[in-house]
Each structure stands twice: as structure tokens, then as C-alpha cells.
Amino acid sequence: MSSQPTIKDVARLSGVSIGTVDRVLHNRGKVSEQNMRSVQNAIEALGYRPSRIARALVSRKSNFKIGVCIPRVEAEFWAEAVNGVEVAREKLQPFGVEVLLEVIGSYHFADQKDALLRLLAQGANALILTPVQGQESRLDQLIPPEIPYATVVEDIPNSRRLFHVGPDDHAMGLLAGRLALLYNGPGIQCGVLAANQRFYGTQERIRGFSDFLRENDPGGRILSLCEIPLENERMGYQKIYEITEQQMEQHPNLNLLYVTNGLTQWAAAAVKSHKKQGAIRVLGFERTEMTCSFIQEGIICATVCQGPGQQWYSAVNIMNEYLAGDRAIDNPVFNAECRILIKESLPFVKFNSISDM
Amino acid sequence: MSSQPTIKDVARLSGVSIGTVDRVLHNRGKVSEQNMRSVQNAIEALGYRPSRIARALVSRKSNFKIGVCIPRVEAEFWAEAVNGVEVAREKLQPFGVEVLLEVIGSYHFADQKDALLRLLAQGANALILTPVQGQESRLDQLIPPEIPYATVVEDIPNSRRLFHVGPDDHAMGLLAGRLALLYNGPGIQCGVLAANQRFYGTQERIRGFSDFLRENDPGGRILSLCEIPLENERMGYQKIYEITEQQMEQHPNLNLLYVTNGLTQWAAAAVKSHKKQGAIRVLGFERTEMTCSFIQEGIICATVCQGPGQQWYSAVNIMNEYLAGDRAIDNPVFNAECRILIKESLPFVKFNSISDM
DNA sequence: CTGAAAGCGCTTACAG
DNA sequence: CTGAAAGCGCTTACAG
């Protein structure tokens, strides 16, 4: 009973006003040594913990804006990201936190730059973004030093970004390698289709995959590594289609296509329309509706999914706690969970599940 | 600007007092048709949504108690469940919700009954539990009809339980079958070690597994189905050890042990101490520290993990929303996410991750 | 350095 | 049927 002690209880016990307790709570100084101590004792004795609810109610007006920039190229993948941001916005809205969202349609730095400037113009106190390739270093100059920013999905290790939320791409590559071996058996003859090769993550996924093969499939070979230019999803689709055709001609012994990102479904479509299912397995990343049905059909054997919604949700929350002073960022890299999508795990991998903690 | 509209804005726009707005909001009746309508219009026009924060602050005293009963037999598995409950408690505490936790040390109905009565005696307004085997039907009599209750992990379909949170056990069995085939290759000769066979879930996991084999591995056979009595984890360990020895003697061609629950690690220990790794693969469920190291060593090839912490966290939250009138239970079964644990996915499956939504 | 007052948005008695 | 007041636990000016 008596439920939780309140600031009033602390004030009463230590014989001061609640104003003074508040000052102690927030280290606002201007408190005599003596009162300081007796308040601290009272807090200790009562096990007092300030109510986040009351705090939130008060600070309803005086709150921050978190600006978010998402490059929506692969449509479904980034739609999940947007969803994660919206769930976070919903959650934080009652606390007076505004989440400003800018969706851009490309991986061009110029577009991202414009979006970020718009967010800053709207008064964003912090930014969260997936950096587009090649120009990462410019962000430190673009974003004023007093504005903290964080990265999601793709990191910029040598920048002043406050933290990063994303998968361990090398480990994802290793996992993909294992799945390839399990489904294909030894002797993998593999074509690698790499979109966004300039992304650090893409390279790591390739490295992990080939590390695994080297270690575990002595007869396996990577026959070719093809870059897929990716201005927009449609272009990715067309290119992958062409290149898959090329690869099948050039390498009659090809038995696996490894696609480094969410374009996996389009490689599968190309394989299917050339009636190569059975002969060529497709293995890749992420979850889309089409990916799921290709897995169901057996054209895609497996994908590794990183849950962009979850990542963005976490990133917005972490940034909010940081701004509120509730969280120190000790380790700036938060590794995302990944899931294995195969035919029998389809019922278990939820689409838009978002996770706290 | 103007951020969110408040109850005051609604009152002003509709020309009534905030008391009346409140009455409309909660259908407390006693409002004239005319005011009713103008308030509703104002709400609509402003896009007003009541602040959960303010609501929580007010209702700090007059709130409910949710009683939870967890049978802690397999230690690590249920420790996760306890953790999930505690995270939920932490989250709901500021809203004035008390979470009462009773941990029992067995799967005996008598113990569970005592625990539930204790929870009721403490004034629980709702109960959440994992029903122990065989006596499920008695719960409807034990728990007063005005107290809603929910099940987690194991369901009681034909009871008045309000809802159930748990995995799809049959689908888990199918998934385990796929993993068996991937790791072993065709020609599975399998011993099934079934703890808690009276649990509905255990049977479903066996059925799913054998359904998969029948369909996909014509040369595969289930050589035996052994019940493991499970009074406590220690006993489970000893029994599994004995039975594994027996099985290995009786079936020299045995190449796989399928363990239907979190005792998987003990079967692996038995295999290891008989130096049968390589010859006999172990496949099972859940994640414990020891399970992870056996996966790392290659003795356990894979497990399917259901995340008990997540399930309990969700169940407590759902019950809270139900009690608060914030959620109608339309579909009473919430299927839990499951993850595939293999050597290469170890870095991705977080131990105590808890998820909202 | 300290306290009393007002107010965050809502609900709950209490008068009319 | 309706409104005004008090209060949930905290923070933020404002006087001293």
C-alpha cells in the first residue's frame, strides 16, 4: 500500500519544500549542503523514484523534435522502416516529442542533403538517417555540431554520429553462407548479385559469405560478382533480370544466386521466368510479400531478414532518451536482431513486429 | 504549434464544460442529445485524442492488480518468463498497475492451485498462468467467474480463458523437421525424447515433426518415442541421460535425437559424454547458455526458440489494456514469434529482447 | 539558497 | 443534466 512515495513524501521527511527536492533531483545547485544531504537520505530511505508520467505531463510543451530521413528505394523494405518511425512517433507523441519524417526517393547525396536541411529548418534537435553511399564524410560538415545525429542500417564509423543501429553485416554473410550450404549441399557454384556495392554493408555481406564458403565448402566457387546499379527499384529489377540471363548463359554449372539485398525477389523472378527453378537456387536478404511467395514455391531457399522497422523504432527511442538525458551512450553500436526466413519459418516471422528494450 | 488539442479545446469549441466532455468521452450517459452531438463534432473537428499520460497520472491510485503464476521447472526457460513479467511490471508501475508474481517449482496442479488462491487473496483482478498438465478443466471452477484469466505458452482451448499467448506448436514441429532434414540429409533415424507429454504442445511438436518427415523424407523413421518424466530439471536431466544411453544401445543406426522442449541441452550432454557427437545429432527447442555452447560445438545442430520473456510481457500488457477497457479481445489466440538457433544465427538471437505491439 | 503558487490534461466527487 | 473545484506528481517561473 501507500504505493510509490512521491516528491511530497520526500519533502515532508526531509523537512524542506518540494521545490528544494526538485533542485536536488536535477542537480540544479543552489541548495545548502545540509538540505542536500537530508533530501538525499530521504530519497534513499523511501526508495523514491520520480514519476515519468508526471514528468511527461509537465514537459508537454517544452520538448524536442527528432528529424528522420529515409531513402525509400527498395519499396517494401523502406516501408517497414517508415512504419517503425511511425510507431515510435505514436509512442512519443504524448510525451511532447515531435518526429519529423522526410522520405527521399533515391540514394543520392544531393537529395539527402536537401532533406536534412529541410529538417533542420523545421527545428529538428537531432537527426537520424541512413547515409547514402560515398558521401558519408560530408555529413559531419553538413550537420551543425550542436545537433546530434545517428545512423541506421548503414554506419559511418569514422564520423561524429552519436550512435548506430544496424545488423552485423559480416555475420549476416556467414549465416547466408551456411544456409546456402544446407540447401545446396557441397559444391556451390555461385553468382553474386551486388546492389549498392559502395555500401559498406554490401561488401561485408559478400565477405562473410565467401569467408564461409572458403572454410566450409572446398569445392564451392564464386563464379562472378556483378554490380547491380540501383537508382530505383524498377531499374534494379531490370538490371537483375538482364544480368541473371547473362550469368545463366555464361555459367551453365551455376547452381546458386546470392543477392546482397532486398532485390532478391527480382532475381527469383528472373530465374522463374527462365524456368530454372530447381537448377538454380536463390538466396538473399529481407522479407517482402513476393519474397515470401517465392520461398513458398521453393525458388528462393532462404533469406536473412534484418527488420528495418525495429531498427528505426529503436533508433528514435534511443535518441529521445538521449535528448531527455535519460541515457548515456556508452557503446555507440546497437546490433539489430536478424531472422532466418525459410518455408517453414514463414509463419513465425512477423511483418511489422516492433520491439522495446 | 498548438500541438495536440486538449479536453479544454474541445470544451471551448463545443461550448460546454470539460466535465461534460469527459462524460461524452466515457459514455457515462447523463448528457443531453444536443451537447452530446456538439461535443462529438468538436472532437472530430479537432482530431482530439485524450492524453494517456494525464489519464495515467489521475488514475494512479485506483488501479488493478494482475496476478501471474509461473511454474519454474526448466530453470533458464522460466527465468526468461520471469524477466518478461518484470519488464512489464516496470513498464506498468507508473500507471498504477500492480503485477503480483507467484513462482512455483513444479508442474503439479496442487501447487498451482495454492499459488492462484494466494494471488486472489492478495486482490488480483486478473490472472495469467501457464496451466499445468492434465487438470486444465479445473481452472474454470477454481477461478471466480468475474476474474478474467489468460494462458501463456500452453493453451486450454475449451475453457473460459480470455486469451492465449503462445507458439504454434505444430508449425514449430514442422520447422524442426526441416532443420533435421537440412542438417542430417535424407534417411533420418530418429529417437524422440518427449518431456511433458501430457502437454498439448508437446504432442503437437511431435505431430508436426513426424508430418514433415512423412512428407519429405521417405527413408526416414522415428525409431522410438520415449516419455521423460519431469518433476524438476534435475530429474529430467537424469532420465534423459539414462534413456539416451538405452536408445543408443537399442538402435545402433540412430542418427538424430529430437527433444521436444528445453531439456535439449541435457540430451546433448549425454551424447557428448558418450562421445557420439558426429554420429548422433541433437535437435530441439529453446535457448539456454548451455544450448548455445553445444550449438557452437556442433553437438546440437539447431533449436527452435519461442521467447518466453516476450510472451509473458505481451500477455501482461494485453491483460492490462483489456482491464483498462482499451482493448477488445476479438481473436483470443496470439501466436508468438519463434527464432531458429543455429551456429551462425547465435549472434542474432538476443537473449532477453522484449517486444511491444 | 528557499518556498509558495500556478499549471501540465485529465478524472472524480460535489453542488446545483 | 451540468459546471466548478480539487487533485494526480512533477516542473517552472516568481518572490523573497
Side-chain angles (χ1 to χ4, degrees):
Chain A
M1 348 287 67
S2 81
S3 64
Q4 288 294 108
T6 74
I7 197 171
K8 235 175 176 169
D9 299 317
V10 176
R12 197 178 313 131
L13 181 59
S14 48
V16 299
S17 72
I18 62 173
T20 300
V21 176
D22 189 67
R23 276 169 210 119
V24 174
L25 245 29
H26 298 289
N27 295 313
R28 296 200 218 287
K30 326 259 184 186
V31 177
S32 72
E33 273 288 312
Q34 202 180 12
N35 279 341
M36 189 73 158
R37 212 155 308 150
S38 70
V39 168
Q40 281 165 342
N41 288 339
I43 288 174
E44 184 92 9
L46 295 168
Y48 168 72
R49 287 178 42 190
S51 154
R52 311 188 125 238
I53 299 292
R55 211 168 251 186
L57 185 59
V58 173
S59 53
R60 202 167 201 283
K61 14 165 82 158
S62 62
N63 251 315
F64 16 76
K65 299 182 185 176
I66 298 175
V68 163
C69 174
I70 292 181
R72 184 169 188 158
V73 179
E74 297 96 325
E76 279 183 74
F77 179 81
W78 293 107
E80 268 194 76
V82 170
N83 179 255
V85 169
E86 276 161 2
V87 174
R89 179 187 352 226
E90 190 87 0
K91 174 181 166 186
L92 297 178
Q93 174 262 318
F95 293 87
V97 177
E98 270 186 77
V99 177
L100 311 171
L101 172 60
E102 287 277 344
V103 177
I104 59 180
S106 79
Y107 288 131
H108 295 307
F109 184 75
D111 293 336
Q112 183 158 74
K113 180 180 169 183
D114 289 347
L116 294 177
L117 291 176
R118 256 174 281 142
L119 290 168
L120 291 169
Q122 288 173 75
N125 307 104
L127 297 174
I128 309 176
L129 59 123
T130 293
V132 299
Q133 68 243 62
Q135 314 275 352
E136 297 87 345
S137 57
R138 290 217 233 156
L139 288 174
D140 275 354
Q141 292 149 41
L142 180 64
I143 301 172
E146 70 277 14
I147 304 283
Y149 73 94
T151 54
V152 182
V153 178
E154 180 79 7
D155 196 6
I156 325 175
N158 297 315
S159 64
R160 45 156 273 264
R161 59 107 176 91
L162 182 66
F163 63 87
H164 168 69
V165 177
D168 177 337
D169 289 287
H170 186 258
M172 287 178 103
L174 289 173
L175 178 52
R178 167 61 72 190
L179 293 168
L181 185 56
L182 283 171
Y183 273 89
N184 186 79
I188 292 167
Q189 305 297 311
C190 171
V192 176
L193 306 183
N196 298 328
Q197 207 175 148
R198 278 183 299 171
F199 275 159
Y200 181 73
T202 304
Q203 293 168 41
E204 283 302 299
R205 289 179 192 183
I206 296 171
R207 201 166 64 79
F209 186 79
S210 60
D211 286 352
F212 183 89
L213 288 198
R214 194 178 319 112
E215 190 81 15
N216 297 280
D217 185 17
R221 277 190 59 211
I222 291 182
L223 303 175
S224 61
L225 170 57
C226 309
E227 164 122 34
I228 313 289
L230 179 57
E231 290 293 316
N232 51 56
E233 181 148 15
R234 187 184 174 75
M235 176 197 268
Y237 170 41
Q238 291 169 341
K239 287 295 173 186
I240 262 198
Y241 203 91
E242 285 171 38
I243 289 174
T244 302
E245 280 179 323
Q246 272 175 30
Q247 291 299 308
M248 294 190 295
E249 250 176 69
Q250 278 176 32
H251 307 287
N253 57 337
L254 186 80
N255 57 22
L256 189 86
L257 283 173
Y258 175 54
V259 189
T260 64
N261 72 351
L263 293 180
T264 307
Q265 56 184 345
W266 302 120
V271 167
K272 183 177 182 182
S273 70
H274 282 75
K275 310 228 187 287
K276 288 289 193 177
Q277 57 254 53
I280 299 177
R281 279 170 235 278
V282 179
L283 179 77
F285 290 88
E286 312 315 346
R287 172 186 161 128
T288 65
E289 269 190 54
M290 204 190 289
T291 300
C292 290
S293 52
F294 281 132
I295 287 177
Q296 194 65 50
E297 283 185 67
I299 294 173
I300 297 176
C301 59
T303 64
V304 177
C305 308
Q306 61 167 309
Q310 175 59 55
Q311 291 180 40
W312 282 93
Y313 175 80
S314 299
V316 174
N317 275 300
I318 292 168
M319 186 59 90
N320 172 55
E321 290 176 20
Y322 171 78
L323 290 174
D326 285 348
R327 179 199 278 265
I329 308 289
D330 36 343
N331 181 345
V333 176
F334 297 85
N335 271 319
E337 276 203 72
C338 292
R339 290 156 169 76
I340 299 168
L341 205 60
I342 60 179
K343 189 173 169 189
E344 289 76 15
S345 74
L346 284 174
F348 293 121
V349 179
K350 301 221 179 134
F351 198 38
N352 269 326
S353 85
I354 305 284
S355 166
D356 255 338
M357 286 194 57
Chain B
M1 18 282 52
S2 77
S3 63
Q4 287 294 109
T6 74
I7 197 172
K8 234 174 175 170
D9 300 318
V10 176
R12 197 179 312 131
L13 181 58
S14 47
V16 300
S17 72
I18 60 173
T20 300
V21 176
D22 189 67
R23 276 169 210 117
V24 174
L25 246 29
H26 298 290
N27 296 313
R28 297 200 218 286
K30 326 256 182 188
V31 177
S32 72
E33 273 288 315
Q34 201 181 11
N35 279 341
M36 189 74 158
R37 212 156 306 151
S38 71
V39 168
Q40 280 166 342
N41 288 339
I43 288 174
E44 184 93 10
L46 294 167
Y48 169 72
R49 287 178 41 191
S51 154
R52 311 188 122 237
I53 299 292
R55 213 169 249 186
L57 185 59
V58 173
S59 53
R60 203 167 200 282
K61 16 166 82 158
S62 62
N63 251 315
F64 16 77
K65 299 181 185 177
I66 298 175
V68 162
C69 174
I70 292 181
R72 186 170 186 158
V73 178
E74 298 97 324
E76 278 183 75
F77 179 80
W78 294 107
E80 268 194 75
V82 169
N83 179 255
V85 170
E86 276 162 2
V87 174
R89 174 179 8 217
E90 191 87 0
K91 174 181 166 187
L92 298 179
Q93 175 262 319
F95 293 88
V97 178
E98 270 185 78
V99 177
L100 312 170
L101 172 60
E102 286 277 344
V103 177
I104 58 180
S106 79
Y107 287 133
H108 295 307
F109 184 74
D111 293 336
Q112 183 157 75
K113 181 179 169 185
D114 289 347
L116 295 178
L117 291 176
R118 257 173 282 143
L119 290 169
L120 291 170
Q122 287 173 76
N125 308 105
L127 296 174
I128 310 177
L129 60 125
T130 293
V132 298
Q133 69 244 62
Q135 313 276 352
E136 297 86 347
S137 57
R138 290 218 232 155
L139 288 174
D140 275 354
Q141 291 149 42
L142 180 65
I143 301 171
E146 71 276 14
I147 305 283
Y149 73 93
T151 54
V152 182
V153 178
E154 180 78 9
D155 196 7
I156 325 175
N158 297 316
S159 64
R160 44 157 273 264
R161 59 108 176 89
L162 181 66
F163 63 86
H164 169 70
V165 177
D168 178 336
D169 289 288
H170 186 258
M172 287 179 103
L174 289 173
L175 177 53
R178 167 61 71 192
L179 292 167
L181 185 57
L182 283 171
Y183 273 89
N184 186 79
I188 291 167
Q189 305 298 309
C190 172
V192 175
L193 306 183
N196 298 328
Q197 208 176 145
R198 278 183 299 172
F199 275 159
Y200 182 73
T202 304
Q203 293 168 39
E204 283 302 299
R205 289 179 192 184
I206 296 171
R207 201 166 64 80
F209 186 79
S210 59
D211 286 353
F212 183 88
L213 288 198
R214 194 177 321 113
E215 191 80 16
N216 297 279
D217 186 16
R221 276 191 58 211
I222 291 181
L223 302 175
S224 61
L225 170 57
C226 309
E227 163 123 34
I228 313 289
L230 180 57
E231 289 294 316
N232 50 56
E233 181 149 13
R234 187 183 176 74
M235 176 197 267
Y237 170 39
Q238 291 169 341
K239 287 294 173 187
I240 263 198
Y241 204 91
E242 284 171 38
I243 289 174
T244 302
E245 280 180 323
Q246 271 175 31
Q247 290 299 307
M248 295 192 294
E249 250 177 69
Q250 277 177 33
H251 307 288
N253 58 336
L254 186 80
N255 57 22
L256 190 87
L257 283 173
Y258 174 54
V259 189
T260 64
N261 72 351
L263 294 181
T264 307
Q265 55 183 346
W266 303 120
V271 166
K272 184 177 181 182
S273 70
H274 282 75
K275 309 229 187 284
K276 289 290 192 177
Q277 58 254 54
I280 299 177
R281 279 171 235 277
V282 180
L283 180 77
F285 291 88
E286 313 313 347
R287 173 187 161 128
T288 65
E289 269 189 54
M290 205 190 291
T291 300
C292 290
S293 52
F294 282 132
I295 287 176
Q296 194 65 50
E297 283 186 68
I299 294 173
I300 297 176
C301 58
T303 64
V304 177
C305 307
Q306 61 167 308
Q310 176 59 55
Q311 291 180 39
W312 282 93
Y313 176 80
S314 300
V316 174
N317 276 301
I318 292 167
M319 186 60 91
N320 171 55
E321 289 176 21
Y322 171 77
L323 291 174
D326 285 349
R327 180 199 278 265
I329 308 288
D330 35 344
N331 181 347
V333 175
F334 297 85
N335 271 319
E337 276 205 73
C338 291
R339 288 154 169 78
I340 298 168
L341 205 60
I342 61 178
K343 188 173 169 189
E344 289 76 16
S345 75
L346 284 174
F348 293 121
V349 179
K350 301 220 179 135
F351 197 37
N352 268 326
S353 85
I354 306 284
S355 166
D356 258 338
M357 285 194 59

